[in-house]
Amino acid sequence: MKDIQIARIESVIVDLPTIRPHHLSMAVMRNQAMVIVRLFCSDGIEGIGEATTIGGLSYGDESPEGMKLTLDTYIAPLLQGKSALSVNAIMTLLKSHIKGNNFVKSAIETALLDAQGKRLGVSVATLLGGAVTQTLPVLWTLASGDTQKDIEEAHALLKNGRHNTFKLKIGRNDWKTDVRHVSAIKEAIGPDVKVTVDVNQAWSESIAKQAIALLQEAGIDLIEQPIIKTNFDGLARLTQYFKVPIMADEAAGTVSDAYKLAKIGGGSVFALKISKAGGLINIQKQAAIAQSAGISLYGGTMLEGTVGTVASAQVFSTLQLDWGTELFGPLLLTEDIVKTRLTYQNGGMEIPQGPGLGIALDMNQVEKFKRK
């Protein structure tokens, strides 16, 4: 195959409305802003990627506006004219010239893999070694902030079969209020339905001990990131203290984080997110570290739209995920920017099977929702 170059890279911010406000400990999401990357190659093939975060700068140190600026000002000129055929070479170049900025690096890697998959006529999962499944289990987050509404929403989803596992976002309220909220929902939907909670770092270690004890007693199945991400030792102490599994999410952001946590037993489950890790290939590295240490895996999300969700699904399909995924981001959106929306049913998501990511942008929708 003759050398094929990156001709140009374009990025656009799209703002998509959501079905309801989505409450997290650090923000209330009322719409989703996504940076869509289009990578054009000299052979006429286009690869797409997505960089998405939650609540502007309230979640992490990258924002949609900052990501677009980084892409347009630094990454696009750096990569123009470079070979599009070696993802590893491009990512090594980015690592040496661009510090941090894992979200935009993930979007670039996704676009490169999408283009190469299209070029070879195979899926991104095939490029990564091959899928072990064509569907992924997907939970649903109950995050309206209202106990009764969450109960009604859970019952409706159980009845229509779309989801059979639920996560509750807590941490904005007093911890005792949150525990009552969670316990009431768990009791209402029954012991046979798996319920997890995500605290998003909101508790101190001392409060976490009190709250997790009550949540464990209430039958909650998994506790996600109860304390600040930098307190690795505290996460290890909580993991050892409780029977209920403790999941490292924000703490397990990078390959380096995964290694440090695995050494001290900081979490019995790791949440994998392509944006935080800086790409799909790094997810496989994190997974290898976790599994060698006996730590289970969970497929996380930054509430990406369909492009980022499918990118995650492609790499997750190559792994054994004991705790499933939360790739429900597209279900939060009232509209989409792809030609064919994803299929969710029977508690899971069907992974597109076409070349590359297996999806295509609807440019009319992109134009409709792009930020002016």
Side-chain angles (χ1 to χ4, degrees):
M1 184 182 293
K2 67 177 183 180
D3 189 42
I4 296 167
Q5 298 179 341
I6 297 172
R8 70 183 191 280
I9 298 172
E10 298 178 0
S11 69
V12 60
I13 300 176
V14 294
D15 293 292
L16 292 178
T18 56
I19 59 174
R20 56 158 165 78
H22 193 72
H23 292 252
L24 302 95
S25 69
M26 80 295 290
V28 178
M29 194 184 86
R30 303 183 188 280
N31 58 58
Q32 186 58 300
M34 303 177 294
V35 181
I36 301 300
V37 173
R38 303 176 67 196
L39 185 145
F40 299 89
C41 302
S42 58
D43 60 350
I45 290 178
E46 173 189 344
I48 58 176
E50 177 185 338
T52 295
T53 187
I54 300 169
L57 280 170
S58 63
Y59 181 89
D61 53 8
E62 292 183 72
S63 67
E65 299 79 13
M67 289 188 285
K68 178 170 170 52
L69 178 68
T70 299
L71 283 160
D72 295 349
T73 306
Y74 297 99
I75 292 180
L78 175 67
L79 299 188
Q80 186 172 2
K82 301 296 190 297
S83 173
L85 298 181
S86 175
V87 176
N88 289 335
I90 291 295
M91 299 312 292
T92 299
L93 180 66
L94 286 181
K95 183 177 180 181
S96 65
H97 285 77
I98 308 292
K99 304 307 177 187
N101 290 279
N102 280 349
F103 283 59
V104 293
K105 288 176 180 175
S106 175
I108 290 292
E109 186 184 87
T110 297
L112 286 165
L113 289 167
D114 180 42
Q116 185 71 342
K118 291 172 180 173
R119 189 172 292 118
L120 299 177
V122 300
S123 69
V124 167
T126 300
L127 295 177
L128 297 174
V132 297
T133 181
Q134 294 187 359
T135 62
L136 289 170
V138 178
L139 59 67
W140 178 253
T141 293
L142 302 169
S144 72
D146 182 279
T147 303
Q148 190 55 40
K149 284 183 179 178
D150 283 349
I151 291 172
E152 292 170 0
E153 188 174 341
H155 280 308
L157 291 169
L158 288 167
K159 185 177 180 179
N160 68 26
R162 199 182 76 183
H163 298 281
N164 53 33
T165 303
F166 300 98
K167 180 163 89 169
L168 300 173
K169 289 283 189 179
I170 59 176
R172 290 181 64 83
N173 304 309
D174 172 78
W175 70 269
K176 294 180 181 178
T177 301
D178 278 338
V179 167
R180 287 194 295 269
H181 169 70
V182 171
S183 300
I185 293 172
K186 176 63 177 177
E187 183 178 7
I189 61 180
D192 296 331
V193 178
K194 189 176 291 184
V195 174
T196 73
V197 298
D198 185 2
V199 190
N200 282 128
Q201 313 177 72
W203 293 338
S204 66
E205 189 176 341
S206 60
I207 286 178
K209 265 197 168 183
Q210 300 175 72
I212 294 171
L214 295 174
L215 293 170
Q216 181 174 273
E217 185 179 342
I220 299 306
D221 296 276
L222 178 71
I223 312 295
E224 181 176 348
Q225 198 62 54
I227 59 176
I228 190 166
K229 65 181 181 179
T230 52
N231 188 0
F232 282 21
D233 291 333
L235 204 60
R237 286 189 288 268
L238 293 173
T239 301
Q240 293 156 15
Y241 189 82
F242 291 104
K243 291 182 179 179
V244 61
I246 306 295
M247 180 158 70
D249 176 14
E250 287 87 355
T254 66
V255 175
S256 175
D257 291 336
Y259 174 72
K260 293 173 184 176
L261 285 169
K263 281 208 304 182
I264 63 172
S268 47
V269 184
F270 282 178
L272 305 175
K273 295 181 179 178
I274 62 172
S275 293
K276 292 190 307 178
L280 287 70
I281 294 170
N282 279 345
I283 287 295
Q284 292 188 314
K285 295 176 183 178
Q286 280 184 298
I289 291 169
Q291 291 177 317
S292 67
I295 296 168
S296 296
L297 301 176
Y298 172 82
T301 181
M302 288 303 302
L303 299 179
E304 291 101 338
T306 298
V307 176
T309 295
V310 171
S312 298
Q314 292 286 342
V315 67
F316 292 164
S317 73
T318 70
L319 304 172
Q320 179 183 336
L321 302 176
D322 293 338
W323 286 88
T325 80
E326 57 176 65
L327 295 180
F328 62 87
L331 292 173
L332 278 177
L333 306 174
T334 60
E335 299 200 54
D336 212 329
I337 57 169
V338 294
K339 292 182 178 179
T340 304
R341 300 194 74 160
L342 298 177
T343 299
Y344 291 86
Q345 60 185 358
N346 302 320
M349 183 193 84
E350 297 179 9
I351 305 170
Q353 296 300 304
L357 294 176
I359 55 174
L361 294 175
D362 182 332
M363 293 311 300
N364 289 329
Q365 288 289 92
V366 172
E367 182 65 26
K368 177 180 177 181
F369 290 105
K370 78 174 184 181
R371 189 174 296 180
K372 305 299 188 290

